[in-house]
Amino acid sequence: MVISRKIQVRLNVLFVTVVMISIAVFSMYELGYLEELQTILAKDHYIFYWMLLVGVFAEIVAGSMGMGYGVICTTTLMLLNIPPHIVSASIHSAESFTTAAGSISHIRLKNVSKSLVKKLAVPAVIGAVIGAVSLTYLGEYYAKITKTLIAFYTLYLGIQILSNAFKEKQSKALKRKTNLTRLGVIGGFIDSFAGGGWGPLVTGTLIKNAFTPRFAVGSSTVAKFILTITAAVTFFFTLGIQHWNIILGLLIGGIITAPFSAMLTAKLPVKKMFVIIGTLVIVMSSITIYKSVFN
C-alpha cells in the first residue's frame, strides 16, 4: 500500500513533467526554435543522450539504495573531463527537480521528522554555500588539482559503499552520540564541493547510528532537497547556467525513472547493488586519478 502510494505520487510528477516538456517542445516548434534545440542536444558528441542514460542509471541506484545519485553522476562527468565546477553545478541543477519529487513522496508517506530536517538542513545550507563558492574559484583556477582531490574523494565513497554490503547493525546507543549540526555542515559542504556524497555520508551515518531507517532516509532526502536548491542558486549567481545538454539529460533521465524506483527498491538485491556500484565507482575514480596524475 505504501509503495503504491509512493508510485502514484511520482507518476503524478512524471505526468506533469511530460506535459510541460511536450508544451515546451511544441512551443519551440511553432516559434521555429526546434532546430536550435537539436543542435544543442547534438553538442559535445551527443553528450545529452549519454547523460540521459546516466540519469536513468543513477536514479535506479538512488531509488534502490537511498544514495548514490551524485556519486555516479560526478564520477561519470569527471571521467569525461568536464571541469569540476561545471560538474557540481550541472548535477545540483538537475537534482533540484529529482530531490523535489522524492521529498514530496516522503512527506506524503509521513517518513519525515521535522526536527531532524531542521537540525540537518540549516547547517547543510551553510556548508553548501561555502562549498559552492569554494569550488567556483578552485574549479576554475586550479581545475586539475581540484579534479584529482574530488576523484580521491569519490574513490573513498566507492570504498564506503562497497563496505556497506558487509556491515553489521549498530547499537542504538550510537544515536545519542551523533552530532547532527557538524554532520549537516560537512555533508552540505562536501556534496556541494564534490558534486555528491550527501547520501553515503549523512544518510549512511544516520542509519549506521541507529536512527529509524524510514525517518533517516525521508528526513535526509528533504534536507538534501533544501541544500541542493541552495547550491544550485549559488552556482547560478557565481557561474550562470552552462551546459544545458548535461543538465537536461540528467534531469529527464532521473524524472523518467523516479516513479518506478519504489518498485525496484523491493525487488533489487540491495547487498549485491552495494557491491556492484561500489566497485564501479572505485574503478571509474581510479581511472580519473590516473588520467589526472599522468596526463
Side-chain angles (χ1 to χ4, degrees):
M1 179 65 181
V2 171
I3 291 179
S4 62
R5 285 177 60 195
K6 191 171 184 178
I7 293 172
Q8 185 61 51
V9 172
R10 293 192 172 187
L11 281 174
N12 291 340
V13 174
L14 176 62
F15 175 75
V16 172
T17 304
V18 169
V19 171
M20 291 177 66
I21 292 174
S22 300
I23 293 173
V25 171
F26 180 76
S27 299
M28 293 183 75
Y29 174 77
E30 288 294 311
L31 295 172
Y33 294 132
L34 198 56
E35 288 186 5
E36 292 184 22
L37 175 62
Q38 291 173 337
T39 301
I40 292 174
L41 298 184
K43 283 178 63 178
D44 302 322
H45 305 290
Y46 296 93
I47 196 172
F48 165 79
Y49 300 101
W50 291 108
M51 290 302 100
L52 194 66
L53 293 176
V54 171
V56 169
F57 179 63
E59 182 59 34
I60 289 174
V61 173
S64 62
M65 303 195 314
M67 62 185 74
Y69 185 92
V71 178
I72 290 173
C73 293
T74 298
T75 49
T76 303
L77 289 170
M78 295 283 283
L79 198 62
L80 295 173
N81 293 319
I82 306 297
H85 54 298
I86 301 300
V87 169
S88 188
S90 299
I91 291 172
H92 284 93
S93 296
E95 270 194 309
S96 298
F97 297 90
T98 56
T99 54
S103 296
I104 292 170
S105 298
H106 284 297
I107 290 171
R108 290 195 60 176
L109 294 172
K110 299 180 180 179
N111 290 341
V112 178
S113 165
K114 291 182 180 179
S115 61
L116 183 55
V117 170
K118 289 179 183 178
K119 290 176 182 177
L120 287 173
V122 174
V125 164
I126 297 172
V129 172
I130 296 172
V133 172
S134 300
L135 182 63
T136 299
Y137 175 76
L138 294 175
E140 184 175 356
Y141 296 101
Y142 303 98
K144 187 172 182 179
I145 296 174
T146 306
K147 181 179 178 181
T148 305
L149 290 174
I150 293 175
F152 271 109
Y153 175 67
T154 55
L155 176 64
Y156 164 75
L157 289 181
I159 295 171
Q160 287 292 100
I161 292 172
L162 185 61
S163 67
N164 281 340
F166 309 101
K167 282 184 177 179
E168 297 179 359
K169 291 184 177 180
Q170 302 294 318
S171 168
K172 290 186 178 181
L174 291 170
K175 185 174 181 179
R176 294 191 297 271
K177 300 179 181 179
T178 307
N179 188 322
L180 295 175
T181 300
R182 183 172 61 191
L183 183 65
V185 171
I186 295 174
F189 174 84
I190 288 177
D191 192 90
S192 183
F193 187 85
W198 176 269
L201 177 63
V202 178
T203 309
T205 298
L206 293 176
I207 293 175
K208 182 184 71 174
N209 288 7
F211 283 79
T212 306
R214 61 186 283 253
F215 288 115
V217 174
S219 303
S220 177
T221 298
V222 175
K224 162 74 173 177
F225 166 67
I226 296 171
L227 88 85
T228 299
I229 291 292
T230 302
V233 170
T234 304
F235 280 123
F236 174 77
F237 283 109
T238 56
L239 294 173
I241 298 294
Q242 304 180 41
H243 291 272
W244 272 106
N245 46 357
I246 295 175
I247 296 172
L248 284 175
L250 295 176
L251 172 60
I252 295 173
I255 288 180
I256 288 173
T257 313
F260 311 104
S261 62
M263 290 186 292
L264 292 171
T265 302
K267 294 181 179 180
L268 288 177
V270 177
K271 184 173 181 178
K272 291 181 180 178
M273 286 290 291
F274 274 124
V275 173
I276 293 170
I277 302 306
T279 303
L280 182 63
V281 170
I282 289 170
V283 171
M284 293 173 69
S285 299
S286 299
I287 293 173
T288 301
I289 291 169
Y290 177 83
K291 289 172 67 177
S292 299
V293 174
F294 296 101
N295 289 349

